[in-house]
Amino acid sequence: MLKENIKQLRKSKGLSQEELAIKLNVVRQTISKWEKGLSVPDSEMLVAISEVFETPVSTLLGENISESKVDDLKAISEKLEIINLQLLQRNNAKRKIIHWLFISLCAITIITFIALYFLNSPYLNWDYNNPEYAVLGVAFQSFEWLFVRTAPIIFIISIIGIILTRKKD
């Protein structure tokens, strides 16, 4: 069912297997396997195929092909809908995690900047004749120098990340 529909739609659009493979970012052999029924595309790929062919996924799955298989197609459509909902939930969970990571990065950047401001570079008063203090002082000064120069960039990127990953209603 699916294999014939993919082949028929590909030919009706005047696409070769290679051209369809390029549009879907897969190898030509994958298209061949689908059309021979040796494998089937996953739900995300079905959506991509339907977009390339400008046809609903239910048509790809053979919704209006025959009456006897309507129940099978309804079951497949329901399963596909469940899979799509699960993918949506997974994508939303990933987006939330990334969103909170950006918020945390912003907070850490601000807290570190405030801490460095109030500490006012205490290592500058150390006795650098002691080799341990000298090495530690250089390490602190290097961190502070690098942080002060990169913190604004990190902060701006974090703000942009927060804006881009916020929930869109």
Side-chain angles (χ1 to χ4, degrees), residues 99-137:
H99 183 75
W100 283 104
L101 285 174
F102 278 125
I103 290 173
S104 300
L105 185 59
C106 251
I108 290 169
T109 304
I110 291 170
I111 290 168
T112 306
F113 216 102
I114 291 171
L116 287 174
Y117 177 77
F118 283 115
L119 288 175
N120 199 20
S121 305
Y123 55 83
L124 295 177
N125 299 325
W126 291 354
D127 178 19
Y128 281 89
N129 291 327
N130 183 340
E132 291 175 0
Y133 282 131
V135 170
L136 197 55

Side-chain angles (χ1 to χ4, degrees), residues 29-159:
Q29 290 82 356
T30 303
I31 305 297
S32 177
K33 286 181 182 179
W34 293 341
E35 290 182 358
K36 290 179 182 176
L38 299 176
S39 69
V40 293
D42 63 13
S43 61
E44 288 180 14
M45 190 56 68
L46 279 173
V47 172
I49 293 168
S50 72
E51 289 172 359
V52 168
F53 291 143
E54 298 171 347
T55 184
V57 174
S58 57
T59 302
L60 278 177
L61 296 173
E63 180 180 74
N64 54 6
I65 301 295
S66 67
E67 292 290 325
S68 64
K69 297 186 180 181
V70 169
D71 293 333
D72 292 340
L73 294 175
K74 286 182 182 177
I76 291 171
S77 295
E78 289 171 0
K79 288 179 183 178
L80 186 59
E81 186 175 337
I82 291 169
I83 290 170
N84 285 336
L85 288 173
Q86 290 171 343
L87 287 172
L88 179 65
Q89 289 172 344
R90 186 181 309 150
N91 289 341
N92 283 339
K94 285 180 187 177
R95 183 197 48 77
K96 283 181 184 178
I97 290 170
I98 292 171
H99 183 75
W100 283 104
L101 285 174
F102 278 125
I103 290 173
S104 300
L105 185 59
C106 251
I108 290 169
T109 304
I110 291 170
I111 290 168
T112 306
F113 216 102
I114 291 171
L116 287 174
Y117 177 77
F118 283 115
L119 288 175
N120 199 20
S121 305
Y123 55 83
L124 295 177
N125 299 325
W126 291 354
D127 178 19
Y128 281 89
N129 291 327
N130 183 340
E132 291 175 0
Y133 282 131
V135 170
L136 197 55
V138 168
F140 278 133
Q141 188 173 8
S142 298
F143 169 75
E144 186 177 29
W145 183 86
L146 184 65
F147 181 79
V148 167
R149 278 148 185 81
T150 59
I153 297 168
I154 293 170
F155 187 74
I156 290 170
I157 290 172
S158 298
I159 295 294

